Amino acid sequence: PMAPEAVARPAVVEDAPGPGLFGAGPAASALFGASPGPSGANLFGGKWAQALRDRRADIERALLEAPPCPACGASVVPRRGSGNPDARLAVMAADPGGRTLGVEGVTMLDKMFVHVLAMERTDAWLVEANTCAIETDAGCRAALLRQLEIVGPRLVLAMGTGAALLGLSADRGRWQRWTDADVLPTWHPNELLARPADKRGAMEHLTQVRGRL
């Protein structure tokens, strides 16, 4: 596997909401647990917006305070997730070959979200695991798990070896439990690019996830 790249320790940066974040319909309502109407129009106002900022700050703090990773060294910071830190759905993506999501992988993931889950990728919380994370409980892996604990999703889509990061079986298509979340392992987009025949199975898994949102 490729060694993770060294990156500068990040400043607190807020993600811009995706185009579908406030779209009307069941996807938006299910994601935020909010009914459509005037109350939904003010989701980014007042206490809710402050709660999102606080949650992002908690995630940044968890990354910065993570103990040095034995495999990576003190110069590498665990990857920060992206998307909605108040999402009901989180994606833990860990490529078995240690590769990150490239342009093609991200494009495929976006299509999976839009066409199967009826939501934008940025409506969920997406975490990509450092290559070393599956090999040690310290540093990078601990920080990744802490991110999920802070977000507190109801559902986790574990792509590739993501289920192993949670201490679960990699048995694709079998629902499992991690803390308070239901977890479904499936293929990583990079795996689907290499083996298109597995796409049908992955789509069936996402259909199950949509049914629980």
Side-chain angles (χ1 to χ4, degrees):
M2 297 173 60
E5 67 279 12
V7 297
R9 291 188 173 266
V12 176
V13 178
E14 295 191 12
D15 296 314
L21 195 59
F22 299 110
S29 299
L31 180 65
F32 295 107
S35 57
S39 60
N42 294 320
L43 281 177
F44 259 132
K47 294 182 179 179
W48 195 85
Q50 184 59 50
L52 285 185
R53 288 192 290 269
D54 290 346
R55 191 163 292 186
R56 287 192 177 98
D58 288 343
I59 291 170
E60 295 290 352
R61 192 176 302 112
L63 297 182
L64 293 172
E65 294 176 354
C69 175
C72 298
S75 63
V76 174
V77 177
R79 290 179 183 139
R80 174 184 179 273
S82 61
N84 175 21
D86 193 41
R88 290 191 179 187
L89 171 65
V91 178
M92 174 72 84
D95 178 74
R99 298 164 296 171
T100 60
L101 279 167
V103 174
E104 289 183 305
V106 170
T107 299
M108 174 174 287
L109 190 59
D110 285 341
K111 290 180 179 179
M112 294 166 75
F113 266 80
V114 171
H115 296 298
V116 185
L117 296 178
M119 59 190 285
E120 301 288 338
R121 170 172 50 88
T122 50
D123 291 341
W125 184 255
L126 170 65
V127 176
E128 276 199 89
N130 283 38
T131 304
C132 70
I134 200 169
E135 301 171 1
T136 175
D137 288 330
C140 294
R141 183 178 183 184
L144 289 171
L145 299 185
R146 180 60 184 143
Q147 285 189 63
L148 285 188
E149 291 172 356
I150 293 170
V151 174
R154 197 174 93 184
L155 302 171
V156 177
L157 185 63
M159 305 186 107
T161 54
L165 291 170
L166 304 176
L168 302 176
S169 165
D171 189 7
R172 298 185 186 96
R174 183 169 70 86
W175 286 98
Q176 301 171 67
R177 193 75 174 168
W178 179 78
T179 64
D180 294 325
D182 291 328
V183 181
L184 186 66
T186 191
W187 288 270
H188 190 281
N190 291 344
E191 295 179 288
L192 297 177
L193 289 170
R195 295 190 303 274
D198 292 330
K199 288 182 181 180
R200 181 172 182 177
M203 297 305 133
E204 292 175 353
H205 298 162
L206 265 70
T207 300
Q208 293 183 45
V209 171
R210 181 178 179 180
R212 297 197 183 198
L213 280 172

